Amino acid sequence: MEIDTGTTELLCEVRDGVALITLNRPEARNAMSDKLTPALRSQIRERGEDPDVGAILITGAGTAFCSGGDVKGMGGRGPRGQMTFEERLSDLRWRQAALTGALVAVRKPTVAALPGAAAGAGLAIALACDIRIAARSAFVSTGYAKVGLSGDYGIAWLLTRAVGSARARELMFTAERVDAERCERIGLVNRIVADDKLRDEAFEFAKSLANGPRVALRNMKDNLDDALHIDYATALHREAERLVQASRTEDHKEAVRAFVEKRKPAFVGR
């Protein structure tokens, strides 16, 4: 089912329980824009709440994932350059919360498929997803140091949790280009696939998650998020509550039946 995003710069379809969201400015390496970015914020929110969607897959058209912000609009040349400091600060905080903040908050599995460059805020969007799958020719860069900026969209927080503090500092300070193989070695991406297989393999992966036990997967995300900032005793307490909740679902009962009957479970998402 095709979804009307309000602009051709962002495409969305829901198929087999997967919301496939495609950044569609290939001529600009899918850089964020005043049309693409609001549409992306809306789709993250709407597909995150859509009961027909079990997983979200974000990718880019052409040979890039997302090259980040539009550099031509930086340095006070864009409309935001006319804002006061407080207006600009409030605007950026809202935009961050509504994009990567909302993506991190989605309680469904999220996957980023990188056909090529993911840089700056584009890398932050990829890092805000649970899983990253890269084409062999893909690469990433924090990018901010090259344009004299310190980072936004939560990139320092997200990058530190992906690769650790020392590596995150290196990547932020140098803004170096990191190829797919190194990304996999240091934990920036989960797996690499052939360029011409990326879309199909990423979709099949997202589909397998969408067709999984949705309550259990949501609870897993809660447990994994908690693990970053709570003590072990509290983690045990919360895990127990969520497991008991999952044990009462139809999906758990179906999984037990399927195990006994030696067949693949047919989950229904509740």
Side-chain angles (χ1 to χ4, degrees), residues 32-47:
M32 298 165 71
S33 75
D34 289 338
K35 291 182 179 180
L36 185 154
T37 313
L40 179 58
R41 290 195 297 261
S42 295
Q43 288 306 309
I44 290 169
R45 183 185 69 252
E46 292 173 15
R47 303 288 74 80

Side-chain angles (χ1 to χ4, degrees), residues 58-59 64-65 112-118 123 126 132-135 138-140 189 198:
I58 302 177
T59 192
F65 176 73
L114 281 56
L123 176 56
R132 285 160 296 286
I133 302 175
F139 67 92
V140 309
V189 303
L198 176 68

Side-chain angles (χ1 to χ4, degrees), residues 219 223 238-248:
N219 289 357
N223 289 337
R238 293 182 182 177
E239 272 191 340
E241 180 179 354
R242 290 166 183 150
L243 184 134
V244 171
Q245 181 188 56
S247 73
R248 296 177 175 229

Side-chain angles (χ1 to χ4, degrees), residues 6 74 89 92 96 100 132 178 185 211 213 218 237 256 260 266:
M74 296 179 183
L89 180 60
L92 179 56
Q96 291 181 150
T100 50
R132 285 160 296 286
V178 185
R185 283 200 308 272
N211 292 330
R218 182 180 70 232
H237 178 81
V256 172
V260 172

Side-chain angles (χ1 to χ4, degrees), residues 89-163:
L89 180 60
S90 177
D91 175 69
L92 179 56
R93 283 175 171 168
W94 177 83
R95 288 188 291 114
Q96 291 181 150
L99 185 53
T100 50
L103 187 53
V104 168
V106 169
R107 293 297 86 188
K108 300 170 182 179
T110 54
V111 181
L114 281 56
L123 176 56
I125 292 169
L127 289 168
C129 293
D130 298 310
I131 303 290
R132 285 160 296 286
I133 302 175
R136 192 159 297 281
S137 64
F139 67 92
V140 309
S141 173
T142 58
Y144 293 98
K146 292 183 177 179
V147 290
L149 293 175
S150 53
D152 55 5
Y153 287 92
I155 191 163
W157 190 95
L158 294 163
L159 191 59
T160 297
R161 279 153 181 77
V163 300

